Amino acid sequence: MSESTAVDVDGQIQSVSRELRTGERDGEQTMVSSISQRYDTTVEDLWEACTSAERLRRWFAPVTGDLRLGGEYQVEGNAGGTIEACTAPHSFSATWEFGGNTSWITVRVDPEDDGARLTLKHTAPADTESEFWQQFGPGATGVGWDLAFLGLAQYLHSGAAKPQEAEGWEATEEGRRFISGSSAAWAEANVELGTPRADAEAARERTTAFYLGEEPPAEG
């Protein structure tokens, strides 16, 4: 167990399931990234942690707006959107609007054994041929979601602030292991999707460097 966080970051990487698949929305091809983890809490508690503005700021980010069906929200320094569907305490869907682009998230909370499982699906227009996807692959957003799930794991475990709030956390041994491990896991999901391993690994290296604040590896 790390001295700086109550959650074992190496174990956290293994506790999360990740999947990529293609889909379709409104007649257009999409890419769906799924991330899922079981937590030692109740469905009701996990739902509240994911939908209460007061609790979201403890492990995710400050969220403002009208957090109910049809309401608009804004994540501080990140995306905003509209809540399109909500069936408490089990699921909600919302647009995820950032940088002039619109994608969609669906969050589910399901009972599992004596705990509860959180599953987030992020659906975006298919862009596997775009320069950005070729450069970074699924880890560009996937590592960010992994960091959120890490924050939630710590918060539910001890009530402590998310470890990445600590200044320079990404440069610590713990932070580097977590970011590198998450990026590698998304690269494997990319390979399972059908991406050539060499391309997936090259994208992994660039994504890892981005999150660590390092220069990307030289081409060639």
Side-chain angles (χ1 to χ4, degrees):
M1 189 74 68
S2 167
E3 294 179 358
S4 61
T5 177
V7 172
D8 175 2
V9 297
D10 300 305
Q12 174 68 15
I13 295 293
Q14 301 302 318
S15 296
V16 171
S17 300
R18 304 164 190 82
E19 180 185 34
L20 294 174
R21 64 176 178 81
T22 57
E24 184 177 297
R25 182 183 175 102
D26 299 328
E28 300 292 333
Q29 290 296 112
T30 60
M31 180 67 67
V32 184
S33 303
S34 298
I35 181 169
S36 179
Q37 182 176 3
R38 178 195 170 280
Y39 294 95
D40 289 324
T41 190
T42 64
V43 165
E44 292 75 17
D45 181 59
L46 186 54
W47 173 261
E48 185 182 66
C50 294
T51 57
S52 161
E54 190 277 329
R55 295 186 71 181
L56 279 166
R57 69 183 300 115
R58 301 187 196 180
W59 64 269
F60 181 53
V63 180
T64 56
D66 189 7
L67 303 184
R68 62 179 177 176
L69 182 62
E72 296 183 352
Y73 73 94
Q74 178 64 51
V75 181
E76 185 177 279
N78 205 314
T82 302
I83 299 171
E84 297 186 316
C86 182
T87 305
H90 294 295
S91 68
F92 72 85
S93 299
T95 61
W96 186 261
E97 302 169 31
F98 183 76
N101 298 313
T102 298
S103 53
W104 305 268
I105 60 170
T106 298
V107 174
R108 284 198 55 84
V109 178
D110 295 296
E112 183 171 311
D113 300 326
D114 57 348
R117 175 169 290 276
L118 176 65
T119 302
L120 182 144
K121 293 186 178 182
H122 191 169
T123 301
D127 59 356
T128 55
E129 300 304 319
S130 74
E131 182 179 351
F132 184 83
W133 180 273
Q134 295 287 339
Q135 186 175 7
F136 295 107
T141 55
V143 174
W145 288 123
D146 255 312
L147 287 165
F149 273 54
L150 170 63
L152 179 58
Q154 166 128 329
Y155 167 63
L156 292 175
H157 180 79
S158 66
K162 52 189 178 183
Q164 56 269 34
E165 281 191 343
E167 185 176 354
W169 177 81
E170 68 280 355
T172 66
E173 180 184 352
E174 176 183 81
R176 293 180 65 86
R177 285 203 321 272
F178 184 82
I179 289 169
S180 298
S182 167
S183 185
W186 283 106
E188 287 301 316
N190 202 9
V191 171
E192 291 178 9
L193 182 70
T195 301
R197 179 167 292 278
D199 294 343
E201 290 294 338
R204 173 190 62 79
E205 291 181 358
R206 289 187 285 268
T207 294
T208 303
F210 171 81
Y211 276 94
L212 293 179
E214 300 175 346
E215 289 294 324
E219 300 289 341

